[in-house]
Amino acid sequence: RHDAAGNIVVPDPKGPVVAQVCKTFVHPQSGKLSVVRIFSGTIAGDTQLVDASRGAAPVRLSGIFRLQGKRQDSIKSAIAGSIVALARLEGVSTGDTLAAPRSTVVMPTVEPSEPLFALAIRPKEKLDEAKLSQMLARIIDEDPSLRVGRAEFTNELQLLGNGEIHVKTATERLSRKYHLALETGQPAIPYRETITGSTEVHSRYKHQTGGHGQFGDVWLRIEPRPRGHGVTFEEKIVGGVVPRQFFPAVEKGVREALLHGPKAGFPVFDLHVTLYDGAYHDVDSSEASFKTAASMAIRDGLPKCNPVILEPIVRLEILVPSTFASTIVSQLTAKRGQILSYDADEQRPGYEKVIALVPQVELGRYITELRTASQGLGTFTWRHERFEIVPDKVAQSIKEPALA
């Protein structure tokens, strides 16, 4: 066996200890077990070890066990060639090299592949959110190819892995092993809305009660901006018809109203709003009244600006055997994909690399479809590219986002 530097590790029971964690188990009651393969030396209860993969961090042994099914038999020592379990090695992960102090030997590891399937996940009870974070850390300790992350635009908690079965098995293990009730589903598609036209809109909010009333009057100009420029706000008030202290309230009202668009209730982006006129009352005007007036103006004005829905477009780089490449291209075309290139892969003879832009909504289970079409040999990488206007036929089927 060779280490990461290519040097031979001699399997000598009397030599310096070199072992590698090949599997991790976390038991709800007894804690963590690290299954190690010993390449050199002998490990006993008093053996001094360091984690060579993490800067020679000291490792404290809490027992050595031989595993036989679910049974754990305590043993005093294990020599080179053995596969044993070491108890409660905190801070040690699968793939780490355990070695004698001052050792420079580090065994090679296999880097987990990039995740290809995501599942939205959350506890049924909000009180279990902290417990869920702890349990997710445990199953990732057991299986480093799993990932946990927040979605780029929706901030949705997601569990990611190598495929649908891989991820769903992990969630079932969470429920069964740690008695955690979960809600899972396909990740939310981060649709957006924008406008393609301009308008000017007037809104007055006036409310009279027994005491002070409320009064806010604004004129807003709403204009589209190029894709990706977000929401901007400015004021062009002349003569103090709206006092300066109310400008932040107007902007806040504008931005809050833009959280739910007129087409399907998705956030509105890529537009410019100008406050250019208005009126106020010496007694009744307040920040709250101007904020309300601005929100009313946006809600009235957006439907007049030819609103449209935007969908996220993903850039796919697919690697597939040449035999199946034409099938994959047809598959992508059926998903409204735009093929950018289709060439032989220089690093893998007999494989083709297909690069395409595809709507994210079409890719929920794409890794399963790709593997089915390529006998399990195809794979891909992806990243968000941009947002584009949704075709009218597709837009009609898009539902409003569920309230959290």
Side-chain angles (χ1 to χ4, degrees), residues 31 90 133 205 215 261 335:
E90 300 303 326
S133 296
Y205 177 65
F215 181 87
K335 293 179 177 295

Side-chain angles (χ1 to χ4, degrees), residues 22-335:
C22 53
K23 182 67 178 174
T24 301
F25 297 102
V26 181
H27 193 276
Q29 282 77 42
S30 59
K32 181 176 176 180
L33 278 179
S34 300
V35 179
V36 302
R37 180 180 178 184
I38 305 174
F39 294 102
S40 175
T42 299
I43 296 180
D46 58 351
T47 302
Q48 299 295 313
L49 294 174
V50 297
D51 188 340
S53 300
R54 300 179 184 272
V59 173
R60 182 178 178 181
L61 298 183
S62 298
I64 307 171
F65 300 91
R66 179 178 289 111
L67 301 182
Q68 296 188 13
K70 293 185 178 181
R71 198 174 77 192
Q72 302 173 15
D73 296 329
S74 179
I75 58 177
K76 293 182 178 180
S77 64
I79 64 171
S82 302
I83 296 178
V84 295
L86 306 181
R88 298 177 184 174
L89 299 186
E90 300 303 326
V92 175
S93 300
T94 302
D96 285 3
T97 298
L98 305 181
R102 295 181 297 278
S103 173
T104 58
V105 176
V106 176
M107 302 302 293
T109 59
V110 177
E111 290 297 324
S113 59
E114 287 298 313
L116 300 172
F117 181 84
L119 196 66
I121 182 172
R122 66 178 179 181
K124 285 186 178 179
E125 303 293 336
K126 279 201 168 183
L127 293 175
D128 288 335
E129 286 183 356
K131 181 181 178 181
L132 175 60
S133 296
Q134 295 174 357
M135 299 307 105
L136 285 172
R138 288 188 179 184
I139 67 166
I140 290 173
D141 209 3
E142 293 182 327
D143 184 356
S145 61
L146 290 169
R147 306 273 182 87
V148 173
R150 292 281 179 179
E152 183 177 1
F153 298 104
T154 62
N155 203 38
E156 186 177 52
L157 182 64
Q158 296 180 348
L159 183 62
L160 304 97
N162 294 328
E164 187 171 358
I165 299 300
H166 182 211
V167 175
K168 288 190 174 182
T169 300
T171 59
E172 290 170 4
R173 193 162 75 247
L174 273 174
S175 300
R176 182 183 67 254
K177 189 173 180 179
Y178 300 109
H179 309 291
L180 192 60
L182 299 173
E183 291 181 352
T184 62
Q186 289 294 309
I189 304 300
Y191 291 109
R192 293 178 169 182
E193 297 185 30
T194 191
I195 58 174
T196 57
S198 303
T199 192
E200 293 181 352
V201 60
H202 172 240
S203 177
R204 170 174 289 185
Y205 177 65
K206 186 176 181 180
H207 183 69
Q208 193 64 44
T209 59
H212 287 309
Q214 297 184 52
F215 181 87
D217 187 292
V218 296
W219 280 89
L220 300 180
R221 184 179 300 114
I222 308 172
E223 304 166 285
R225 295 198 70 197
R227 199 77 66 244
H229 282 66
V231 176
T232 53
F233 174 86
E234 69 172 337
E235 54 79 22
K236 291 185 177 179
I237 294 297
V238 178
V241 291
V242 176
R244 183 170 297 276
Q245 68 264 29
F246 297 134
F247 294 167
V250 173
E251 181 176 1
K252 188 173 183 180
V254 166
R255 293 187 180 276
E256 286 189 2
L258 292 176
L259 293 176
H260 303 284
K263 292 286 287 184
F266 293 99
V268 186
F269 285 82
D270 301 335
L271 55 82
H272 181 72
V273 179
T274 304
L275 169 65
Y276 68 92
D277 202 356
Y280 78 103
H281 189 278
D282 288 334
V283 177
D284 292 342
S285 288
S286 65
E287 291 186 359
S289 57
F290 272 96
K291 175 185 169 185
T292 302
S295 294
M296 291 168 57
I298 292 296
R299 286 194 291 269
D300 290 343
L302 286 179
K304 304 173 184 177
C305 297
N306 300 321
V308 293
I309 298 177
L310 301 174
E311 65 178 344
I313 303 297
V314 168
R315 179 187 174 93
L316 285 182
E317 291 192 8
I318 303 166
L319 195 62
V320 65
S322 303
T323 308
F324 308 108
S326 60
T327 302
I328 300 307
V329 170
S330 300
Q331 198 178 59
L332 295 175
T333 303
K335 293 179 177 295

Side-chain angles (χ1 to χ4, degrees), residues 191 263 309 311 336 362 389-399:
Y191 291 109
K263 292 286 287 184
I309 298 177
E311 65 178 344
R336 299 188 283 130
E362 304 283 352
I389 296 175
V390 177
D392 291 338
K393 289 184 179 180
V394 179
Q396 294 172 5
S397 64
I398 296 175
K399 299 178 181 179

